[in-house]
Amino acid sequence: MRRYTRLAPLGLLLALAGALSAPAAADGAPLTHDDIAWLRRASFGIDSATLARYRELGRDRWLDEALADRDDHLPPAIAQEIDGYEAIATPPAQLVMSYRETLRQVKAMPDGDAKVAAKKAAQIHGRELMRQAQQAELLHAIYGSNPLKEQMVWFWLNHFSVYGNKGPVRLLAADYEEHVIRPHALGKFRDLVMATLKSPAMLVYLDNAQNAKDKINENYARELMELHTLGVHAGYTQQDVQQLAAILTGVGVIRPRDAMRGPRMNRRGRFGGFDRFGGERPGVVRQGLFEFNPARHDSSDKVFLGQRIDGGGFDEVEHAVDLIVRQPACAQFVSRELAEYFVSDHPPQALVDAMAATFQRTDGDIAAVLRTLFTSKAITATAGAKFKDPVQFVVSAMRFSLDGRPITNAQPLVAALNQMGEPLYGRITPDGWPLDNASWAGSGQMAKRFDIAGMIGTGRAPLFAPDGTLPRRQPGERPDPPTLNGPLFAQAMQPWLSPHTRDALAQAKSPAEWNTFLLSSPDFNTR
């Protein structure tokens, strides 16, 4: 029975520090507390569709289906929304070329108000493309049919982090998520590494676009080993970093105009990646904006991770990546990162070892490693130990609140992540946003989180207004809050609420306050 009394003070919510209550019988519900705890980690937040599919298939088949990655779709309204974004619908090369042409035209304009206005319009357009990339990722996370895959897309976007405000990366962010990370989120880790290595967003962000013979830039080589694959203390040396940087010379980005047209002579009498007869120059590798240019490559022999690599163009890169991902340190590093994200800040070493063994046995099959993780007892033994980072909080709150109802404006959610300090493509350093609880549970963070809970719980965010404008209301009229105190809550949360949360909910004086208290509670903010 719903009961709304007077407003519970914020201090009461801040005092809700208890862990989830002990498992209890589901009072006739077919799913147990262990089922719900498992789903809260395997999904990006529970909604009715997730519960229904889990009931239909059971845990093992639900996991089989998710890891098989055969049915990755969006509701038609959301797919249409994303497909309509310029950042998604336009090839990256065309986006970059058009943007640069606009900047060239602005630069050629005489000084004055018109030039200032044109420059400002170009900057606004660039920021809008970035916002579209952020909205597309959030809409995928909230509405994607495979919630485990959506978590992995976000995990890898963070693991292979790029900073959107560096150079043209903001124009390439949507392509990075759609065509670099998403297709490999549940595939082979080596393929994911190679996809990011060929990504113009990564090559620009970590400066390998400037890495050339006699002008070595070690930035990407260092982060590829330290942050993406092996970890900090994996036994490699500075010599290995230098050798990898040499191997990566010539791995860069082609001019967008050349990426969009066939063989054509440039001002130096050369034909881009082609010879004068239209054939590709020997050794050139191209894929969209990516290019390996042997003319910029150090083709000498190298010794990397104790292995000799003969000078041989792009084959050196393939060989080096093979060596990296087959290192036991790579299996340990990636497995530990996954276990920290899904299980706890300090996952059991036995779990990490088991995942690493699977990684090595399956040649880095991400789905197989996840199967080891999600079939282990550790996945629910620590239920409630992980505090949701802002992305997990916003996505799970929207999945729970909307329960599949499509929105037309995800910009308020992008703004919410900005306010909570975890903007998508907003991490300046390449280490990605932290995975530990303490980074997101400070008092300042909690105050912002309660504000966002109120925005969602009261229904005041303009999520259903395409242009972001709020509907006109009469004086004193308030927006309709979503109905969180419904069947989904009764099945997925109510039986196992802590006493503190029950007390707080009992003090709510309106549905909007009840929603806000629930979304602010430790029961909702942990998994």
Side-chain angles (χ1 to χ4, degrees):
M1 178 178 178
R2 301 177 189 179
R3 183 162 64 95
Y4 307 113
T5 57
R6 64 186 176 81
L7 172 66
L10 181 62
L12 177 60
L13 291 177
L14 286 168
L16 300 182
L20 284 172
S21 57
D27 193 23
L31 299 184
T32 67
H33 185 225
D34 191 70
D35 289 322
I36 296 298
W38 189 88
L39 273 176
R40 283 167 64 89
R41 290 194 164 170
S43 72
F44 224 149
I46 294 177
D47 58 11
S48 294
T50 302
L51 278 185
R53 195 63 177 159
Y54 186 89
R55 281 199 188 90
E56 178 184 351
L57 299 177
R59 185 179 302 186
D60 291 343
R61 289 176 58 204
W62 191 97
L63 183 61
D64 290 343
E65 183 175 83
L67 296 179
D69 192 24
R70 288 192 294 265
D71 185 22
D72 179 17
H73 67 270
L74 291 164
I78 298 301
Q80 184 178 4
E81 177 76 16
I82 292 175
D83 290 345
Y85 291 154
E86 180 185 3
I88 298 292
T90 310
Q94 185 176 335
L95 275 180
V96 176
M97 187 174 72
S98 298
Y99 192 72
R100 287 180 174 174
E101 175 60 23
T102 299
L103 294 181
R104 188 192 67 76
Q105 292 175 2
V106 170
K107 187 176 181 180
M109 293 173 67
D111 292 340
D113 292 344
K115 182 174 184 176
V116 172
K119 184 177 181 180
K120 184 177 180 180
Q123 292 170 341
I124 291 173
H125 184 215
R127 289 196 292 270
E128 173 59 21
L129 292 173
M130 175 76 160
R131 279 195 291 268
Q132 290 179 5
Q134 294 168 320
Q135 292 180 62
E137 164 54 14
L138 276 173
L139 290 173
H140 270 293
I142 295 168
Y143 295 100
S145 62
N146 186 344
L148 177 54
K149 178 178 180 177
E150 294 307 328
Q151 280 207 93
M152 290 309 300
V153 171
W154 160 239
F155 176 86
W156 293 127
L157 275 175
N158 193 48
H159 185 87
F160 295 97
S161 181
V162 297
Y163 180 54
N165 287 323
K166 180 171 180 177
V169 176
R170 68 179 58 183
L171 312 178
L172 304 167
D175 174 73
Y176 188 64
E177 186 272 338
E178 288 273 331
H179 300 118
V180 177
I181 299 296
R182 178 168 293 280
H184 303 288
L186 293 170
K188 294 281 189 177
F189 183 70
R190 180 194 184 278
D191 295 340
L192 180 59
V193 172
M194 285 302 300
T196 55
L197 186 150
K198 292 181 177 179
S199 162
M202 181 64 74
L203 295 174
V204 169
Y205 171 51
L206 289 181
D207 305 319
N208 210 77
Q210 289 81 47
N211 186 23
K213 180 176 60 177
D214 300 326
K215 295 181 180 179
I216 296 289
N217 187 312
E218 297 178 3
N219 197 17
Y220 177 53
R222 185 178 305 282
E223 306 306 358
L224 175 57
M225 299 178 73
E226 182 173 313
L227 298 177
H228 297 174
T229 57
L230 299 178
V232 178
H233 305 294
Y236 55 85
T237 66
Q238 174 60 20
Q239 179 72 10
D240 288 318
V241 173
Q242 293 171 342
Q243 289 290 279
L244 182 57
I247 290 168
L248 290 169
T249 51
V251 172
V253 179
I254 195 173
R255 294 187 308 173
R257 188 181 304 278
D258 292 334
M260 295 180 63
R261 68 187 181 191
R264 185 173 177 179
M265 184 180 290
N266 60 28
R267 287 180 297 179
R268 297 177 181 175
R270 303 183 69 175
F271 286 83
F274 302 87
D275 63 24
R276 64 185 64 251
F277 302 106
E280 283 197 5
R281 291 207 311 271
V284 171
V285 179
R286 279 187 173 183
Q287 183 177 325
L289 283 167
F290 167 79
E291 181 188 60
F292 173 76
N293 186 348
R296 292 166 53 85
H297 178 65
D298 176 353
S299 58
S300 64
D301 295 341
K302 291 95 174 174
V303 176
F304 176 60
L305 296 177
Q307 299 287 320
R308 176 186 172 89
I309 295 181
D310 296 334
F314 193 68
D315 287 348
E316 295 178 47
V317 178
E318 301 267 7
H319 190 173
V321 171
D322 285 339
L323 284 175
I324 291 172
V325 300
R326 290 173 182 168
Q327 298 293 308
C330 181
Q332 278 281 330
F333 178 68
V334 174
S335 297
R336 180 170 296 281
E337 293 273 304
L338 286 166
E340 287 181 7
Y341 178 77
F342 282 107
V343 178
S344 75
D345 290 358
H346 304 287
Q349 185 59 45
L351 172 65
V352 175
D353 289 344
M355 295 168 65
T358 301
F359 187 103
Q360 290 188 279
R361 185 181 70 253
T362 62
D363 197 21
D365 189 311
I366 296 165
V369 175
L370 291 176
R371 185 181 297 281
T372 298
L373 171 63
F374 281 100
T375 54
S376 75
K377 293 182 179 178
I379 193 67
T380 55
T382 56
K386 282 300 290 184
F387 190 76
K388 295 177 181 177
D389 67 27
V391 169
Q392 292 166 339
F393 168 70
V394 167
V395 172
S396 62
M398 296 306 296
R399 291 179 73 93
F400 192 80
S401 303
L402 298 172
D403 206 13
R405 186 163 59 125
I407 62 174
T408 54
N409 177 23
Q411 181 52 34
L413 307 179
V414 172
L417 291 178
N418 294 342
Q419 291 176 42
M420 288 190 285
E422 196 180 27
L424 297 172
Y425 311 110
R427 181 72 167 177
I428 296 176
T429 52
D431 52 347
W433 297 111
L435 303 177
D436 64 304
N437 291 352
S439 296
W440 305 111
S443 57
Q445 278 283 329
M446 295 308 298
K448 285 293 183 186
R449 186 168 298 213
F450 295 157
D451 288 342
I452 303 305
M455 181 192 79
I456 298 171
T458 59
R460 70 172 184 266
L463 301 170
F464 301 96
D467 59 358
T469 57
L470 290 169
R472 291 186 177 180
R473 295 190 174 91
Q474 298 299 319
E477 183 183 5
R478 296 183 178 181
D480 294 330
T483 305
L484 302 194
N485 190 2
L488 180 60
F489 167 73
Q491 296 172 70
M493 292 197 70
Q494 189 176 36
W496 306 288
L497 286 179
S498 68
H500 293 298
T501 298
R502 291 182 188 278
D503 290 345
L505 295 178
Q507 296 183 59
K509 66 177 183 180
S510 70
E513 287 184 356
W514 192 96
N515 293 346
T516 302
F517 294 168
L518 178 68
L519 297 179
S520 302
S521 70
D523 298 74
F524 190 84
N525 281 274
T526 56
R527 59 176 187 152

